[in-house]
Amino acid sequence: MRTILVCEDEASIRDFVVVNLTYAGYRVIEAASGEEALAMFDESVDMALLDIMLPGINGFEVCAELRKRSNTMGIIMLTARSREEEKVDALRLGADDYVTKPFSPSELMARVDALYRRVSAVRERSGPAEELQSGHFVLNVRNRTVSKAGVPLDLTQVEYQMMYLFFLHPGVPIERTEILRQVWGESYIGAEKIVDVNIRRLRMKIEDEPSDPRHICTVRGQGYQWNV
Ligand code: CA
């Protein structure tokens, strides 16, 4: 869930910001001081919205510390209209953007949403485990493709999803209802035949001997199992 850390000591402004972010679908972590914000920061935080004038350490210090902890999170500073130098300092210390007080809800949300799009795009690109390998097979998570001994396989998206599921659970049987749930979603529960049909087609594409499968094996009464 997209999560934003809000650090603002003035309760009325903080509430105003929190209400708008929550309404727009963000999970909000609230902090009334910089110390609190740093204590509350964890891996789940995608973005921070930081006021500059705070009771203890100021927003600039919080910004610099957060930037040390995460390169990919988004940081927006709340600056005062009259103080042009604040904006420059904010950007210099690693903030991505600033919003000048007083601001309207639509202005705030436009900045936050725009930054969230940038943050999530960057995180997708630099995400972990872009490729999964299993024997001669390589699955590319970014491109949603699978190759066998270096040769790209011509898979449908459903077939790719099944391969992905197998790659995550090699050597253990996966029940057909579980495959249905993971690949097709809850609404297909009860239609296990669809799994069998697609398994058969997938075997034609990936097995040397589809009638005597080595990789996608049937485990009687338990489902299908990926073997390398
Ligand atoms: Ca303040």
Side-chain angles (χ1 to χ4, degrees), residues 27-154:
R27 175 176 156 252
V28 184
I29 299 174
E30 289 182 60
S33 71
E35 289 83 353
E36 221 178 288
L38 292 178
M40 287 172 141
F41 173 83
D42 63 33
E43 290 300 307
S44 73
V45 173
D46 300 303
M47 288 196 290
L49 189 64
L50 309 172
D51 186 32
I52 292 169
M53 300 288 276
L54 295 165
I57 58 171
N58 66 33
F60 292 129
E61 292 169 84
V62 180
C63 172
E65 178 58 31
L66 287 179
R67 189 47 87 211
K68 258 191 254 168
R69 296 189 196 176
S70 167
N71 261 328
T72 56
M73 74 178 295
I75 302 177
I76 300 179
M77 307 292 290
L78 298 175
T79 64
R81 189 175 298 283
S82 55
R83 309 187 58 180
E84 205 55 37
E85 70 278 7
E86 282 187 354
K87 299 166 187 172
V88 179
D89 285 343
L91 299 178
R92 196 171 49 80
L93 288 167
D96 298 289
D97 201 356
Y98 53 81
V99 177
T100 307
K101 286 178 175 179
F103 46 83
S104 67
S106 57
E107 190 185 345
L108 173 72
M109 290 319 306
R111 294 297 184 95
V112 170
D113 285 339
L115 183 55
Y116 181 74
R117 280 195 296 275
R118 261 147 61 198
V119 167
S120 51
V122 166
R123 289 193 164 174
E124 251 164 52
R125 275 203 299 278
S126 60
E130 185 175 308
E131 284 191 342
L132 302 176
Q133 185 157 8
S134 189
H136 295 313
F137 296 88
V138 175
L139 182 146
N140 187 305
V141 177
R142 196 204 297 175
N143 303 332
R144 298 173 68 84
T145 55
V146 181
S147 64
K148 179 185 179 183
V151 180
L153 297 170
D154 185 19

Side-chain angles (χ1 to χ4, degrees), residues 8-10 51 53:
E8 164 67 81
D9 57 315
E10 276 171 75
D51 186 32
M53 300 288 276

Side-chain angles (χ1 to χ4, degrees), residues 3 17 36 53-54 56 71 95 100 124 141 160 163 169 192 217 224 226-227:
T3 298
V17 167
E36 221 178 288
M53 300 288 276
L54 295 165
N71 261 328
T100 307
E124 251 164 52
V141 177
Y160 165 82
M163 288 295 276
H169 308 282
E192 280 85 14
C217 304
Y224 294 103
W226 177 256
N227 293 327

